[in-house]
Amino acid sequence: MTQGKDAGPEGAVSAARPAVAAAGLWKGLHPGMALAAKGMVLVFVVLSVAFLDGAGALYSEVRAWIEGRLDWYYVLTICGAVFVCLFLMCSRYGRIRLGDDDARPEFSTFSWLAMLFSAGLGIGLLFFSIAEPLYYFDNSAPGGYPNNPHADRAGNLGLNIQRAELAVRVTCFHWGIHGWSVYVLAGLCLAWFGFRKKLPLTFRSALYPVLGNRIYGPIGHLVDLLAVFGTVFGTATSLGLGVTQMGAGLNALFDADPGVVTQIALIAAISTVATLSAVSGIGRGIRIISEWNIYLTVVLLGFFLFFGPSEWLLGFLVTTAGNYLWAAIPMGFWTAADKATADWQSAWTIFYWGWWISWAPFVGMFIARISRGRTLREFVAGAIFVPTALGVIWISLLGGNALHVELLAEGGPGTAGIMHLVREGNLEAALYSTIAAMSGAAWLTWGISALATLLLATWFITSCDSGTLVITTMLSMGDDHPPRRFRVVWGLGMGLVAAVLLLAGGLHALQTASVVAALPVSAVLLFMMYGLLKSLSQEPAFPASA
């Protein structure tokens, strides 16, 4: 097989590339992009804080319009990503390497999987793996719409094992193949054009088959700034919202006040460690912390398996995996037919699809960066099915334990108290309440709660350091090793953004705005999908007539 060349003269591509500064304050970065990115962040934060109520209302109205009118579009976009990824994995293109023909992976398979899982999923699963199944298991409709229309349509209206199984199935659906396909599609496009076609490792490069050298002009700048927006504010809002769960953990461990002061201190500590990790590079800090995330996760999952109803959980896991695989495709194409179920789908499924899409530039760029030398088939299979499998195990064990506690509650199903916390919106406390209900010993409850809180911190650190590296890579026009001083600036800057918005009460509004940003990102993804397929069809090793 010969190295694929980009459509168009190689020299023209190189000559058109925007230059990074060779000296001075912006050395190593594209000055215009760096200034524009900082200005964008500053303006957005100032306006969101200064006009908090108005900004929040505007973001919410736009989000409601998108979720109410474009649910079919999001469903088709996500399903399209799934089928393109599966097609490429099974196609003749699967053996092409993301890089030169003699390129080999920079990281071991374990390190690679640990880093992509840490950047793309870990913290969300720890937060929602108990709260989300319990919400779907509930039947009180606190949101004004059914808790789980999939269970209701199947006739499982009572708090029984059948409803519990469907609750976990829906959770796995939201955290499984469909979401990861979006990340993989974005990452595959970036790795293909960055490593195989020798274009800059930036989001704009994936549009080269569509735009040609115009990617180096205003359109390309806009696309990369959109990716920076999603990375900065997605990471900052997740950091700000996630420290509430860490605060609940510190309250359970040390009776510490979980309020704003504690949360600001946690943001400062996490941002500092994440910045140091980003400065040390992928091969050291990010890789090592990601690997330790997996080790700690195994210990936590072991606790939930062996200190819970082990035999019941293993059966529940097998049932969950089978149910999910059987129902994944039909659930992926399902759209609600009446207002009540449409409200649920907008609030949950369409929200999740928007959240996955809004994070695609960040996670896609990061997994592309760590995947040089892998085959296309290895990239797609590893980055979709391994995280999905681990997610199914995680949700089945953590959510399964909480559901088992509620099913066997002395006062009847649903009276153990964990589901009540979720119903009241106290999602961050559900994890620690489940640990306390399982352990039966104060020292064990304290130890596992400490482990969960530590894991929350390390998952956050890997998300933040990955985000820092992604931003500086894009602003340096694809440099694999962007200047360290700018990694410090952006690493601490994201923590500052999170702290300011937390103090101002604007994190939830900005979370909504980040999801709204998924609409233009989804359009970019569709063009990327087309560009990738077009470029593959022109690959010299695989002529279109073959």
Side-chain angles (χ1 to χ4, degrees), residues 213-281:
N213 285 342
R214 284 179 294 169
I215 65 169
Y216 301 118
I219 297 177
H221 296 336
L222 182 62
V223 168
D224 279 352
L225 286 175
L226 184 62
V228 170
F229 178 94
T231 303
V232 171
F233 292 112
T235 304
T237 51
S238 293
L239 176 60
L241 294 172
V243 294
T244 60
Q245 189 173 34
M246 293 180 62
L250 293 178
N251 177 259
L253 292 170
F254 307 108
D255 199 27
D257 180 6
V260 173
V261 174
T262 299
Q263 292 170 17
I264 295 296
L266 287 169
I267 289 175
I270 290 170
S271 299
T272 301
V273 177
T275 301
L276 293 174
S277 174
V279 168
S280 69

Side-chain angles (χ1 to χ4, degrees), residues 48-63:
S48 294
V49 171
F51 305 100
L52 186 61
D53 293 337
L58 175 63
Y59 304 153
S60 296
E61 288 177 9
V62 176
R63 174 188 161 187

